[in-house]
Amino acid sequence: MVFYGEVKTTQQRVLTLGFAGLGQATNKVLERKHEIETLPYEIIAAADPRAHARAAFEAEFGGETYDDIADLCAQSALDVVYIATPPEFHRRHAEIAARCGKHMIVEKPLALCLDDCQ
């Protein structure tokens, strides 16, 4: 932060991030993660029903993996869930994350109809 020309720094808390779905959308984000390395975040977990996707994530990031998003969201160390599952699951997965008190980023669309967004 800058105050009257003097530079002061503040310690920012590192947000912990987990991915729900390890398909194309997540891969595109992870390919570009070097572009946002200045932000205070750490990738710590992911959920995907496919064992090979979980194994690839574990090998690259060393984080915890789950076959169910509810187990991912139940992790107390997790702050933010990036929901990148197929669109027909977005509403249900957003509700799970919200019930667990997680912040979330949801790939578009949030839901398949306006009523589901309510």
Side-chain angles (χ1 to χ4, degrees), residues 44-63:
I44 66 163
D48 195 285
R50 300 167 302 142
H52 71 278
R54 293 191 310 272
F57 178 87
E58 288 172 359
E60 184 165 350
F61 297 99

mmCIF file with all atom_site columns, all heavy atoms in Angstrom, residues 44-63:
data_model
loop_
_atom_site.group_PDB
_atom_site.id
_atom_site.type_symbol
_atom_site.label_atom_id
_atom_site.label_alt_id
_atom_site.label_comp_id
_atom_site.label_asym_id
_atom_site.label_entity_id
_atom_site.label_seq_id
_atom_site.pdbx_PDB_ins_code
_atom_site.Cartn_x
_atom_site.Cartn_y
_atom_site.Cartn_z
_atom_site.occupancy
_atom_site.B_iso_or_equiv
_atom_site.pdbx_formal_charge
_atom_site.auth_seq_id
_atom_site.auth_comp_id
_atom_site.auth_asym_id
_atom_site.auth_atom_id
_atom_site.pdbx_PDB_model_num
ATOM 1   N N   . ILE A 1 44 ? -4.749  -26.571 -3.473  1.00 0.00 ? 44 ILE A N   1
ATOM 2   C CA  . ILE A 1 44 ? -4.521  -27.644 -2.493  1.00 0.00 ? 44 ILE A CA  1
ATOM 3   C C   . ILE A 1 44 ? -5.336  -28.914 -2.722  1.00 0.00 ? 44 ILE A C   1
ATOM 4   O O   . ILE A 1 44 ? -5.028  -29.942 -2.122  1.00 0.00 ? 44 ILE A O   1
ATOM 5   C CB  . ILE A 1 44 ? -4.760  -27.162 -1.053  1.00 0.00 ? 44 ILE A CB  1
ATOM 6   C CG1 . ILE A 1 44 ? -6.222  -26.796 -0.813  1.00 0.00 ? 44 ILE A CG1 1
ATOM 7   C CG2 . ILE A 1 44 ? -3.841  -25.996 -0.703  1.00 0.00 ? 44 ILE A CG2 1
ATOM 8   C CD1 . ILE A 1 44 ? -6.591  -26.709 0.648   1.00 0.00 ? 44 ILE A CD1 1
ATOM 9   N N   . ALA A 1 45 ? -6.374  -28.866 -3.567  1.00 0.00 ? 45 ALA A N   1
ATOM 10  C CA  . ALA A 1 45 ? -7.233  -30.045 -3.682  1.00 0.00 ? 45 ALA A CA  1
ATOM 11  C C   . ALA A 1 45 ? -8.051  -30.007 -4.974  1.00 0.00 ? 45 ALA A C   1
ATOM 12  O O   . ALA A 1 45 ? -8.171  -28.966 -5.614  1.00 0.00 ? 45 ALA A O   1
ATOM 13  C CB  . ALA A 1 45 ? -8.171  -30.127 -2.479  1.00 0.00 ? 45 ALA A CB  1
ATOM 14  N N   . ALA A 1 46 ? -8.618  -31.159 -5.303  1.00 0.00 ? 46 ALA A N   1
ATOM 15  C CA  . ALA A 1 46 ? -9.499  -31.261 -6.465  1.00 0.00 ? 46 ALA A CA  1
ATOM 16  C C   . ALA A 1 46 ? -10.440 -32.447 -6.295  1.00 0.00 ? 46 ALA A C   1
ATOM 17  O O   . ALA A 1 46 ? -10.139 -33.386 -5.552  1.00 0.00 ? 46 ALA A O   1
ATOM 18  C CB  . ALA A 1 46 ? -8.690  -31.430 -7.748  1.00 0.00 ? 46 ALA A CB  1
ATOM 19  N N   . ALA A 1 47 ? -11.557 -32.376 -6.999  1.00 0.00 ? 47 ALA A N   1
ATOM 20  C CA  . ALA A 1 47 ? -12.511 -33.487 -7.012  1.00 0.00 ? 47 ALA A CA  1
ATOM 21  C C   . ALA A 1 47 ? -12.871 -33.798 -8.454  1.00 0.00 ? 47 ALA A C   1
ATOM 22  O O   . ALA A 1 47 ? -13.098 -32.892 -9.260  1.00 0.00 ? 47 ALA A O   1
ATOM 23  C CB  . ALA A 1 47 ? -13.769 -33.125 -6.223  1.00 0.00 ? 47 ALA A CB  1
ATOM 24  N N   . ASP A 1 48 ? -12.916 -35.068 -8.771  1.00 0.00 ? 48 ASP A N   1
ATOM 25  C CA  . ASP A 1 48 ? -13.320 -35.525 -10.098 1.00 0.00 ? 48 ASP A CA  1
ATOM 26  C C   . ASP A 1 48 ? -13.645 -37.015 -9.960  1.00 0.00 ? 48 ASP A C   1
ATOM 27  O O   . ASP A 1 48 ? -12.935 -37.727 -9.246  1.00 0.00 ? 48 ASP A O   1
ATOM 28  C CB  . ASP A 1 48 ? -12.184 -35.328 -11.109 1.00 0.00 ? 48 ASP A CB  1
ATOM 29  C CG  . ASP A 1 48 ? -12.682 -35.439 -12.540 1.00 0.00 ? 48 ASP A CG  1
ATOM 30  O OD1 . ASP A 1 48 ? -12.949 -36.574 -13.002 1.00 0.00 ? 48 ASP A OD1 1
ATOM 31  O OD2 . ASP A 1 48 ? -12.815 -34.390 -13.200 1.00 0.00 ? 48 ASP A OD2 1
ATOM 32  N N   . PRO A 1 49 ? -14.691 -37.492 -10.625 1.00 0.00 ? 49 PRO A N   1
ATOM 33  C CA  . PRO A 1 49 ? -15.016 -38.916 -10.517 1.00 0.00 ? 49 PRO A CA  1
ATOM 34  C C   . PRO A 1 49 ? -14.028 -39.825 -11.264 1.00 0.00 ? 49 PRO A C   1
ATOM 35  O O   . PRO A 1 49 ? -13.976 -41.025 -11.016 1.00 0.00 ? 49 PRO A O   1
ATOM 36  C CB  . PRO A 1 49 ? -16.422 -39.020 -11.118 1.00 0.00 ? 49 PRO A CB  1
ATOM 37  C CG  . PRO A 1 49 ? -16.552 -37.825 -11.999 1.00 0.00 ? 49 PRO A CG  1
ATOM 38  C CD  . PRO A 1 49 ? -15.685 -36.761 -11.394 1.00 0.00 ? 49 PRO A CD  1
ATOM 39  N N   . ARG A 1 50 ? -13.199 -39.249 -12.134 1.00 0.00 ? 50 ARG A N   1
ATOM 40  C CA  . ARG A 1 50 ? -12.279 -40.049 -12.949 1.00 0.00 ? 50 ARG A CA  1
ATOM 41  C C   . ARG A 1 50 ? -10.928 -40.224 -12.237 1.00 0.00 ? 50 ARG A C   1
ATOM 42  O O   . ARG A 1 50 ? -10.232 -39.244 -11.962 1.00 0.00 ? 50 ARG A O   1
ATOM 43  C CB  . ARG A 1 50 ? -12.072 -39.390 -14.314 1.00 0.00 ? 50 ARG A CB  1
ATOM 44  C CG  . ARG A 1 50 ? -13.385 -39.246 -15.102 1.00 0.00 ? 50 ARG A CG  1
ATOM 45  C CD  . ARG A 1 50 ? -13.266 -38.323 -16.293 1.00 0.00 ? 50 ARG A CD  1
ATOM 46  N NE  . ARG A 1 50 ? -12.831 -37.007 -15.832 1.00 0.00 ? 50 ARG A NE  1
ATOM 47  C CZ  . ARG A 1 50 ? -11.970 -36.241 -16.499 1.00 0.00 ? 50 ARG A CZ  1
ATOM 48  N NH1 . ARG A 1 50 ? -11.471 -36.633 -17.655 1.00 0.00 ? 50 ARG A NH1 1
ATOM 49  N NH2 . ARG A 1 50 ? -11.615 -35.063 -16.027 1.00 0.00 ? 50 ARG A NH2 1
ATOM 50  N N   . ALA A 1 51 ? -10.566 -41.459 -11.985 1.00 0.00 ? 51 ALA A N   1
ATOM 51  C CA  . ALA A 1 51 ? -9.321  -41.768 -11.264 1.00 0.00 ? 51 ALA A CA  1
ATOM 52  C C   . ALA A 1 51 ? -8.089  -41.242 -11.992 1.00 0.00 ? 51 ALA A C   1
ATOM 53  O O   . ALA A 1 51 ? -7.161  -40.725 -11.357 1.00 0.00 ? 51 ALA A O   1
ATOM 54  C CB  . ALA A 1 51 ? -9.201  -43.276 -11.042 1.00 0.00 ? 51 ALA A CB  1
ATOM 55  N N   . HIS A 1 52 ? -8.066  -41.335 -13.328 1.00 0.00 ? 52 HIS A N   1
ATOM 56  C CA  . HIS A 1 52 ? -6.879  -40.874 -14.054 1.00 0.00 ? 52 HIS A CA  1
ATOM 57  C C   . HIS A 1 52 ? -6.709  -39.354 -13.953 1.00 0.00 ? 52 HIS A C   1
ATOM 58  O O   . HIS A 1 52 ? -5.586  -38.855 -13.894 1.00 0.00 ? 52 HIS A O   1
ATOM 59  C CB  . HIS A 1 52 ? -6.912  -41.328 -15.526 1.00 0.00 ? 52 HIS A CB  1
ATOM 60  C CG  . HIS A 1 52 ? -7.926  -40.624 -16.368 1.00 0.00 ? 52 HIS A CG  1
ATOM 61  N ND1 . HIS A 1 52 ? -9.255  -40.988 -16.400 1.00 0.00 ? 52 HIS A ND1 1
ATOM 62  C CD2 . HIS A 1 52 ? -7.798  -39.561 -17.188 1.00 0.00 ? 52 HIS A CD2 1
ATOM 63  C CE1 . HIS A 1 52 ? -9.910  -40.187 -17.219 1.00 0.00 ? 52 HIS A CE1 1
ATOM 64  N NE2 . HIS A 1 52 ? -9.053  -39.298 -17.709 1.00 0.00 ? 52 HIS A NE2 1
ATOM 65  N N   . ALA A 1 53 ? -7.809  -38.621 -13.899 1.00 0.00 ? 53 ALA A N   1
ATOM 66  C CA  . ALA A 1 53 ? -7.727  -37.161 -13.751 1.00 0.00 ? 53 ALA A CA  1
ATOM 67  C C   . ALA A 1 53 ? -7.206  -36.807 -12.364 1.00 0.00 ? 53 ALA A C   1
ATOM 68  O O   . ALA A 1 53 ? -6.375  -35.903 -12.219 1.00 0.00 ? 53 ALA A O   1
ATOM 69  C CB  . ALA A 1 53 ? -9.093  -36.526 -13.989 1.00 0.00 ? 53 ALA A CB  1
ATOM 70  N N   . ARG A 1 54 ? -7.680  -37.512 -11.338 1.00 0.00 ? 54 ARG A N   1
ATOM 71  C CA  . ARG A 1 54 ? -7.188  -37.273 -9.979  1.00 0.00 ? 54 ARG A CA  1
ATOM 72  C C   . ARG A 1 54 ? -5.706  -37.602 -9.871  1.00 0.00 ? 54 ARG A C   1
ATOM 73  O O   . ARG A 1 54 ? -4.932  -36.861 -9.251  1.00 0.00 ? 54 ARG A O   1
ATOM 74  C CB  . ARG A 1 54 ? -8.001  -38.080 -8.963  1.00 0.00 ? 54 ARG A CB  1
ATOM 75  C CG  . ARG A 1 54 ? -9.448  -37.631 -8.837  1.00 0.00 ? 54 ARG A CG  1
ATOM 76  C CD  . ARG A 1 54 ? -10.149 -38.252 -7.642  1.00 0.00 ? 54 ARG A CD  1
ATOM 77  N NE  . ARG A 1 54 ? -10.021 -39.696 -7.541  1.00 0.00 ? 54 ARG A NE  1
ATOM 78  C CZ  . ARG A 1 54 ? -10.836 -40.573 -8.111  1.00 0.00 ? 54 ARG A CZ  1
ATOM 79  N NH1 . ARG A 1 54 ? -11.857 -40.157 -8.845  1.00 0.00 ? 54 ARG A NH1 1
ATOM 80  N NH2 . ARG A 1 54 ? -10.653 -41.869 -7.941  1.00 0.00 ? 54 ARG A NH2 1
ATOM 81  N N   . ALA A 1 55 ? -5.285  -38.693 -10.487 1.00 0.00 ? 55 ALA A N   1
ATOM 82  C CA  . ALA A 1 55 ? -3.874  -39.088 -10.433 1.00 0.00 ? 55 ALA A CA  1
ATOM 83  C C   . ALA A 1 55 ? -2.983  -38.049 -11.103 1.00 0.00 ? 55 ALA A C   1
ATOM 84  O O   . ALA A 1 55 ? -1.904  -37.718 -10.595 1.00 0.00 ? 55 ALA A O   1
ATOM 85  C CB  . ALA A 1 55 ? -3.680  -40.459 -11.083 1.00 0.00 ? 55 ALA A CB  1
ATOM 86  N N   . ALA A 1 56 ? -3.426  -37.496 -12.227 1.00 0.00 ? 56 ALA A N   1
ATOM 87  C CA  . ALA A 1 56 ? -2.651  -36.473 -12.924 1.00 0.00 ? 56 ALA A CA  1
ATOM 88  C C   . ALA A 1 56 ? -2.546  -35.205 -12.070 1.00 0.00 ? 56 ALA A C   1
ATOM 89  O O   . ALA A 1 56 ? -1.480  -34.592 -11.985 1.00 0.00 ? 56 ALA A O   1
ATOM 90  C CB  . ALA A 1 56 ? -3.285  -36.159 -14.277 1.00 0.00 ? 56 ALA A CB  1
ATOM 91  N N   . PHE A 1 57 ? -3.632  -34.827 -11.416 1.00 0.00 ? 57 PHE A N   1
ATOM 92  C CA  . PHE A 1 57 ? -3.610  -33.657 -10.541 1.00 0.00 ? 57 PHE A CA  1
ATOM 93  C C   . PHE A 1 57 ? -2.648  -33.883 -9.374  1.00 0.00 ? 57 PHE A C   1
ATOM 94  O O   . PHE A 1 57 ? -1.842  -33.008 -9.049  1.00 0.00 ? 57 PHE A O   1
ATOM 95  C CB  . PHE A 1 57 ? -5.021  -33.369 -10.011 1.00 0.00 ? 57 PHE A CB  1
ATOM 96  C CG  . PHE A 1 57 ? -5.072  -32.209 -9.060  1.00 0.00 ? 57 PHE A CG  1
ATOM 97  C CD1 . PHE A 1 57 ? -5.227  -30.912 -9.539  1.00 0.00 ? 57 PHE A CD1 1
ATOM 98  C CD2 . PHE A 1 57 ? -4.964  -32.401 -7.696  1.00 0.00 ? 57 PHE A CD2 1
ATOM 99  C CE1 . PHE A 1 57 ? -5.270  -29.835 -8.662  1.00 0.00 ? 57 PHE A CE1 1
ATOM 100 C CE2 . PHE A 1 57 ? -4.999  -31.334 -6.810  1.00 0.00 ? 57 PHE A CE2 1
ATOM 101 C CZ  . PHE A 1 57 ? -5.160  -30.046 -7.300  1.00 0.00 ? 57 PHE A CZ  1
ATOM 102 N N   . GLU A 1 58 ? -2.740  -35.038 -8.753  1.00 0.00 ? 58 GLU A N   1
ATOM 103 C CA  . GLU A 1 58 ? -1.846  -35.362 -7.627  1.00 0.00 ? 58 GLU A CA  1
ATOM 104 C C   . GLU A 1 58 ? -0.386  -35.303 -8.055  1.00 0.00 ? 58 GLU A C   1
ATOM 105 O O   . GLU A 1 58 ? 0.460   -34.785 -7.329  1.00 0.00 ? 58 GLU A O   1
ATOM 106 C CB  . GLU A 1 58 ? -2.164  -36.745 -7.069  1.00 0.00 ? 58 GLU A CB  1
ATOM 107 C CG  . GLU A 1 58 ? -3.466  -36.807 -6.304  1.00 0.00 ? 58 GLU A CG  1
ATOM 108 C CD  . GLU A 1 58 ? -3.856  -38.234 -5.937  1.00 0.00 ? 58 GLU A CD  1
ATOM 109 O OE1 . GLU A 1 58 ? -3.127  -39.192 -6.280  1.00 0.00 ? 58 GLU A OE1 1
ATOM 110 O OE2 . GLU A 1 58 ? -4.916  -38.393 -5.300  1.00 0.00 ? 58 GLU A OE2 1
ATOM 111 N N   . ALA A 1 59 ? -0.091  -35.833 -9.231  1.00 0.00 ? 59 ALA A N   1
ATOM 112 C CA  . ALA A 1 59 ? 1.294   -35.854 -9.713  1.00 0.00 ? 59 ALA A CA  1
ATOM 113 C C   . ALA A 1 59 ? 1.820   -34.442 -9.955  1.00 0.00 ? 59 ALA A C   1
ATOM 114 O O   . ALA A 1 59 ? 2.974   -34.145 -9.652  1.00 0.00 ? 59 ALA A O   1
ATOM 115 C CB  . ALA A 1 59 ? 1.388   -36.679 -11.004 1.00 0.00 ? 59 ALA A CB  1
ATOM 116 N N   . GLU A 1 60 ? 0.968   -33.560 -10.475 1.00 0.00 ? 60 GLU A N   1
ATOM 117 C CA  . GLU A 1 60 ? 1.439   -32.210 -10.796 1.00 0.00 ? 60 GLU A CA  1
ATOM 118 C C   . GLU A 1 60 ? 1.394   -31.257 -9.609  1.00 0.00 ? 60 GLU A C   1
ATOM 119 O O   . GLU A 1 60 ? 2.285   -30.441 -9.429  1.00 0.00 ? 60 GLU A O   1
ATOM 120 C CB  . GLU A 1 60 ? 0.625   -31.612 -11.941 1.00 0.00 ? 60 GLU A CB  1
ATOM 121 C CG  . GLU A 1 60 ? 1.157   -30.255 -12.351 1.00 0.00 ? 60 GLU A CG  1
ATOM 122 C CD  . GLU A 1 60 ? 0.631   -29.776 -13.689 1.00 0.00 ? 60 GLU A CD  1
ATOM 123 O OE1 . GLU A 1 60 ? -0.004  -30.559 -14.409 1.00 0.00 ? 60 GLU A OE1 1
ATOM 124 O OE2 . GLU A 1 60 ? 0.869   -28.607 -14.000 1.00 0.00 ? 60 GLU A OE2 1
ATOM 125 N N   . PHE A 1 61 ? 0.366   -31.364 -8.766  1.00 0.00 ? 61 PHE A N   1
ATOM 126 C CA  . PHE A 1 61 ? 0.174   -30.378 -7.704  1.00 0.00 ? 61 PHE A CA  1
ATOM 127 C C   . PHE A 1 61 ? 0.364   -30.942 -6.298  1.00 0.00 ? 61 PHE A C   1
ATOM 128 O O   . PHE A 1 61 ? 0.487   -30.181 -5.348  1.00 0.00 ? 61 PHE A O   1
ATOM 129 C CB  . PHE A 1 61 ? -1.210  -29.725 -7.813  1.00 0.00 ? 61 PHE A CB  1
ATOM 130 C CG  . PHE A 1 61 ? -1.373  -28.972 -9.095  1.00 0.00 ? 61 PHE A CG  1
ATOM 131 C CD1 . PHE A 1 61 ? -2.047  -29.531 -10.165 1.00 0.00 ? 61 PHE A CD1 1
ATOM 132 C CD2 . PHE A 1 61 ? -0.809  -27.713 -9.254  1.00 0.00 ? 61 PHE A CD2 1
ATOM 133 C CE1 . PHE A 1 61 ? -2.174  -28.852 -11.357 1.00 0.00 ? 61 PHE A CE1 1
ATOM 134 C CE2 . PHE A 1 61 ? -0.931  -27.021 -10.440 1.00 0.00 ? 61 PHE A CE2 1
ATOM 135 C CZ  . PHE A 1 61 ? -1.613  -27.596 -11.494 1.00 0.00 ? 61 PHE A CZ  1
ATOM 136 N N   . GLY A 1 62 ? 0.342   -32.259 -6.162  1.00 0.00 ? 62 GLY A N   1
ATOM 137 C CA  . GLY A 1 62 ? 0.551   -32.861 -4.854  1.00 0.00 ? 62 GLY A CA  1
ATOM 138 C C   . GLY A 1 62 ? -0.573  -32.624 -3.870  1.00 0.00 ? 62 GLY A C   1
ATOM 139 O O   . GLY A 1 62 ? -0.418  -32.857 -2.685  1.00 0.00 ? 62 GLY A O   1
ATOM 140 N N   . GLY A 1 63 ? -1.708  -32.148 -4.334  1.00 0.00 ? 63 GLY A N   1
ATOM 141 C CA  . GLY A 1 63 ? -2.824  -31.862 -3.438  1.00 0.00 ? 63 GLY A CA  1
ATOM 142 C C   . GLY A 1 63 ? -3.689  -33.074 -3.178  1.00 0.00 ? 63 GLY A C   1
ATOM 143 O O   . GLY A 1 63 ? -3.512  -34.136 -3.780  1.00 0.00 ? 63 GLY A O   1
#
